[in-house]
Amino acid sequence: MRARADNFQKMTEKVVPTTVRNLCDLAGQVVRSESLKRVVALVERVARYPVAVLIVGETGTGKEMIARALHERSLRCNSPWIDVNCAAMPEHLVESELFGYEKGAFSGADSQKQGLFELAHRGTLFLDEIGDLDAKIQVKLLRVLDGVPYYRLGGSRKVSVDVRIVAATNQNLEELVRAGSFRSDLYHRLAQFKVEIPPLRERPDDLVGIAELVLQQHYPGSNLTGDAVAKLLSYDWPGNVRQLRNCIFHAVLSAGNPAVELTANDIKLPDSSAITDREVRLNRHLGQVERQMVLKALERCSGHQGKAAKALGISRRTLLRKLKSYRDPQQGLESGISSGQIQRYYRAEINTDARIIDGTECLPGTLLNISLGGAGVALKKQLSFGTAVTIYFRIPTQETELRLAGQIVWSNNEGQHGVQFSDLPAELQAILKTWLDSEINGEGASQSSTQ
């Protein structure tokens, strides 16, 4: 909150006109905030790899722009880009639209029609609002994503396609999986790499930049006054970028002197006296919100504590202290956070010899730290993103060598790699839980120098 207040004060002191050209950094999208710059950096990195990408974020945050940027920066950039809104397609047409149909497959099918998968061959298929996809189509989509040839509707000849899938949703797919309305296997197949776009209310730099961009598209050289910026920053923007653009457009039409400036009086917002649900939660449950923010940051950073701490604007030491403080010494755990969540993201430093199997090659290395969700390892060989690895090691309380499987999710120039674990066997999970619990509560619990 202090960071947002500082940004608020800094931006209202003076607003300097910015050219439209300098505002647009990614597919026409304004990128000023550090959080969105990190998203852009991830896009640049993952675009080169043929993995499926799931983009999550609230309505209006610009998920389609990020998806287009992934395509344009990929090796498929000269091949087709096909996009479809899964929520907008009538349920009875979804299968025929995605997979095509043969002549005579149903009444009105007067000729053969290629599906969107075929049209996107060797290119990118963007599935927006993937959470609204019917359960029957989820099964067929999963098989296609696994490389299995499929039949057009009413067809007898199998069709094979080479398509990169980028999906987007404003829903919590993990909750939909738990509720049984979205297939767990499809979710994990779509989310080989996950990109989360922060809401506009958490990106004041971008908010002001977008407002300036829309204003200058109509009146180059015009300016937002300090009170106008203050008013924009005081609102939560539940509709995000789309709502902000509409607001500035209407202000331009109704302002007294838009060719020179927009003032606070020109900008019409919903009743600011009404307290939003978010504000109520923030005021009444600040401690709970902080815990949720910490765990969410760790999830977005694949458990990388250094990156999560930077995203939160705190030191790694503070982050570790917060994870430990979320345990109540009298009652065991505070409400709202489970032991499993703490153990998943609390990485205990271990610094022990390990063997890392990369395909058929056995690499000597060091296990730097470990949690239930992943580990940090040091190797002399640089492994690429998505590489499947198996780690063999021992923890202090166990003489038996343990074996963990996962994949590389980050690396740096110093040979350090982050490994995200696959599902842990129950017996191994119990061993790690017991040891991590003792590390979290014990005086000897150390802080990782890597994550």
Side-chain angles (χ1 to χ4, degrees):
M1 295 299 293
R2 170 63 64 85
R4 184 173 179 180
D6 291 344
N7 282 335
F8 183 95
Q9 181 178 0
K10 189 188 306 179
M11 291 180 185
T12 54
E13 287 175 356
K14 184 177 182 181
V15 180
V16 180
T18 308
T19 65
V20 173
R21 179 177 58 84
N22 290 334
L23 283 168
C24 303
D25 297 317
L26 177 67
Q29 183 159 312
V30 172
V31 183
R32 286 184 177 179
S33 66
E34 290 302 317
S35 59
L36 197 57
K37 286 178 181 177
R38 285 191 287 273
V39 170
V40 172
L42 283 174
V43 168
E44 296 283 358
R45 290 182 61 186
V46 76
R48 302 190 301 269
Y49 298 94
V51 295
V53 178
L54 177 64
I55 304 172
V56 298
E58 295 180 5
T59 297
T61 49
K63 297 185 289 295
E64 183 174 351
M65 285 189 174
I66 295 296
R68 284 185 178 274
L70 276 165
H71 173 71
E72 290 167 2
R73 286 157 173 74
S74 73
L75 299 177
R76 299 171 180 259
C77 60
N78 294 319
S79 298
W81 157 271
I82 303 293
D83 59 271
V84 57
N85 188 315
C86 298
M89 284 192 296
E91 185 176 326
H92 64 284
L93 294 179
V94 173
E95 184 173 6
S96 62
E97 287 296 313
L98 288 177
F99 306 108
Y101 56 81
E102 298 289 347
K103 181 178 179 179
F106 51 84
S107 178
D110 299 328
S111 61
Q112 182 193 81
K113 179 181 177 180
Q114 290 186 326
L116 296 176
F117 269 93
E118 287 178 83
L119 295 176
H121 184 54
R122 300 191 184 280
T124 302
L125 178 60
F126 175 53
L127 299 175
D128 199 7
E129 303 300 345
I130 189 70
D132 291 303
L133 204 60
D134 179 74
K136 175 185 174 184
I137 305 302
Q138 290 180 30
V139 177
K140 192 165 183 178
L141 177 59
L142 177 63
R143 289 177 58 80
V144 176
L145 292 179
D146 285 336
V148 178
Y150 63 90
Y151 294 103
R152 297 192 191 101
L153 203 61
S156 58
R157 183 178 63 85
K158 286 189 174 182
V159 177
S160 297
V161 292
D162 172 18
V163 174
R164 182 189 194 167
I165 295 294
V166 178
T169 182
N170 60 6
Q171 302 183 62
N172 188 327
L173 289 189
E174 293 176 348
E175 287 186 0
L176 295 182
V177 169
R178 287 191 288 270
S181 58
F182 200 87
R183 293 182 62 95
S184 173
D185 46 8
L186 177 58
Y187 167 72
H188 291 295
R189 185 64 179 80
L190 291 169
Q192 287 182 315
F193 194 87
K194 190 175 178 181
V195 176
E196 185 162 349
I197 306 177
L200 192 59
R201 61 180 169 270
E202 296 177 6
R203 300 187 275 125
D205 291 344
D206 296 332
L207 194 158
V208 176
I210 293 166
E212 290 176 341
L213 174 61
V214 176
L215 173 58
Q216 292 179 33
Q217 284 173 341
H218 293 87
Y219 290 103
S222 186
N223 192 23
L224 290 169
T225 63
D227 63 344
V229 172
K231 188 170 185 177
L232 292 173
L233 292 175
S234 69
Y235 183 60
D236 263 358
W237 302 104
N240 292 287
V241 177
R242 191 176 295 118
Q243 183 186 11
L244 174 62
R245 287 180 177 274
N246 290 340
C247 174
I248 300 300
F249 176 69
H250 287 297
V252 166
L253 293 180
S254 60
N257 194 11
V260 176
E261 64 182 13
L262 282 187
T263 68
N265 290 333
D266 298 323
I267 297 171
K268 308 303 179 186
L269 296 175
D271 184 9
S272 59
S273 63
I275 300 177
T276 65
D277 290 342
R278 178 175 170 271
E279 290 170 327
V280 169
R281 289 197 301 272
L282 187 60
N283 291 330
R284 292 183 180 177
H285 307 291
L286 187 57
Q288 177 68 13
V289 169
E290 178 191 89
R291 291 194 290 273
Q292 291 172 350
M293 288 175 64
V294 167
L295 293 177
K296 197 67 177 176
L298 282 162
E299 183 180 350
R300 286 199 302 264
C301 298
S302 300
H304 192 300
Q305 290 177 355
K307 292 181 180 179
K310 185 176 180 181
L312 291 165
I314 59 178
S315 68
R316 187 186 295 112
R317 184 179 297 273
T318 298
L319 177 61
L320 266 292
R321 189 170 64 248
K322 286 184 180 297
L323 284 174
K324 292 184 69 176
S325 73
Y326 293 156
R327 294 184 64 89
D328 185 335
Q330 301 298 324
Q331 301 180 9
L333 290 173
E334 294 183 353
S335 63
I337 185 168
S338 69
S339 174
Q341 285 177 300
I342 296 176
Q343 290 164 334
R344 177 172 177 79
Y345 296 120
Y346 178 88
R347 294 209 174 189
E349 184 179 293
I350 187 167
N351 283 313
T352 186
D353 291 339
R355 293 181 294 122
I356 292 86
I357 307 297
D358 165 26
T360 58
E361 186 176 4
C362 181
L363 307 170
T366 303
L367 180 66
L368 301 170
N369 50 68
I370 191 169
S371 73
L372 284 182
V377 297
L379 297 168
K380 291 184 178 180
K381 179 180 178 180
Q382 192 78 12
L383 300 181
S384 60
F385 170 84
T387 300
V389 295
T390 304
I391 308 172
Y392 293 85
F393 68 99
R394 290 184 176 86
I395 57 176
T397 58
Q398 292 284 320
E399 294 185 3
T400 306
E401 189 176 54
L402 303 181
R403 173 184 177 274
L404 290 172
Q407 65 176 5
I408 301 295
V409 292
W410 64 266
S411 62
N412 60 28
N413 294 331
E414 299 174 0
Q416 296 172 347
H417 297 70
V419 179
Q420 187 176 52
F421 294 149
S422 308
D423 292 337
L424 298 179
E427 182 180 357
L428 182 53
Q429 191 174 67
I431 293 172
L432 276 181
K433 277 185 176 180
T434 301
W435 182 71
L436 285 168
D437 196 58
S438 66
E439 286 290 299
I440 291 170
N441 291 309
E443 293 298 325
S446 55
Q447 296 172 359
S448 166
S449 61
T450 304
Q451 295 193 40

